[in-house]
Amino acid sequence: MAIEQTLSIIKPDATRRNLTGAINERFESRGLKIVAQKRIHLTLSQAQKFYDVHKERAFYDDLCKYMTSGPVVVQVLQGEQAVTANRSIMGATNPANADDGTIRKDFGESVEANSVHGSDSTENAKLEINFFFADIDIVT
Ligand code: CMP
């Protein structure tokens, strides 16, 4: 077991419905600590760069546009196996397939407006955290 950090994004559908606190409660009650957090409005070029790995996918343009449609909350979560733990708390990408009690099942509206993003590996977590935060922003 290892203490890890992972990047989380609370997406525009969730900030629009004022769900930041409700979602943060899911992380904290499951033992993840929010060690950095900021509310920002992504530019289109920032969203395109962040989701560059998906640029060949049919949903890429809509996804980038959607992620700029309102504020997001970007955050660093820290805890035991934080990458896997967060993915379990979030649930499946498509809310229709997500398990009961997960964030996406309880709050997600669609596969695009699925309330949260979380890093899918420790390697990507490091890259994604560095995309939004400097070391000085992360207080453990
Ligand atoms: P996220 O974890 O932010 O990573 C990429 C996002 O693309 C994903 O969550 C979904 O919200 C979004 N997306 C939109 N359409 C699809 C799709 N058909 N398949 C997978 N992801 C999709």
Side-chain angles (χ1 to χ4, degrees), residues 49-65:
K49 200 168 163 203
F50 182 78
Y51 280 117
D52 187 64
V53 64
H54 295 306
K55 67 170 178 286
E56 306 303 335
R57 309 289 295 272
F59 59 79
Y60 177 72
D61 286 345
D62 282 345
L63 170 64
C64 294
K65 206 167 139 200

Side-chain angles (χ1 to χ4, degrees), residues 11 51 54 57 59 63 93 104 111-114 116-118:
K11 295 188 179 186
Y51 280 117
H54 295 306
R57 309 289 295 272
F59 59 79
L63 170 64
T93 303
R104 284 166 168 166
V111 69
E112 179 173 81
N114 62 355
V116 281
H117 164 83

Side-chain angles (χ1 to χ4, degrees), residues 95-115:
N97 301 330
D99 290 338
D100 287 346
T102 61
I103 291 172
R104 284 166 168 166
K105 178 72 168 191
D106 292 346
F107 301 129
E109 297 181 317
S110 67
V111 69
E112 179 173 81
N114 62 355
S115 300

Side-chain angles (χ1 to χ4, degrees), residues 5 7 33-38 40 74-78 128-140:
Q5 293 180 344
L7 184 87
K33 189 180 284 187
I34 301 162
V35 294
Q37 176 167 264
K38 61 186 172 187
I40 59 176
V74 293
Q75 47 193 187
V76 180
L77 307 178
Q78 178 175 292
E128 292 184 356
I129 289 168
N130 288 338
F131 187 91
F132 288 111
F133 295 99
D135 286 351
I136 198 171
D137 298 324
I138 302 170
V139 183
T140 59

